[in-house]
Amino acid sequence: MLVDTRVVNKNATEAELQQGVIAPPTPGWTIALVVACGLGVPITIVTGIAIPQYQYSLMRFKLADAMSPSSTVKVAVMNYYEKHEKLPRVDLP
């Protein structure tokens, strides 16, 4: 795209145009900058989607991990209530 692009000087004379003076080649840093910008946009979009999704998945994992011991306690309380017809007494410090 940018390589070997011909630039015409609007102040050039007819003789200079006939001579076919070619503009200097595009510097490498310019090409690197265009490539970096071209790759930067898709990476930014993917990152913008991936990070919140990761945080959501992590939150769900932590919630599921916290809820798993409580199901055991729930079953134990239900069994105690069925057997004694009252809720167990809990002495907290």
Side-chain angles (χ1 to χ4, degrees), residues 18-31:
Q18 292 296 327
Q19 196 176 18
V21 178
I22 298 175
T26 306
W29 66 267
T30 312
I31 296 170

Side-chain angles (χ1 to χ4, degrees), residues 21-77:
V21 178
I22 298 175
T26 306
W29 66 267
T30 312
I31 296 170
L33 181 65
V34 169
V35 170
C37 289
L39 292 176
V41 172
I43 290 173
T44 304
I45 292 171
V46 169
T47 304
I49 295 170
I51 290 175
Q53 184 62 35
Y54 171 74
Q55 290 172 338
Y56 176 71
S57 298
L58 187 61
M59 186 252 328
R60 287 185 60 192
F61 170 75
K62 287 181 179 180
L63 183 62
D65 194 37
M67 294 297 287
S68 70
S70 69
S71 63
T72 307
V73 173
K74 252 192 274 186
V75 170
V77 169

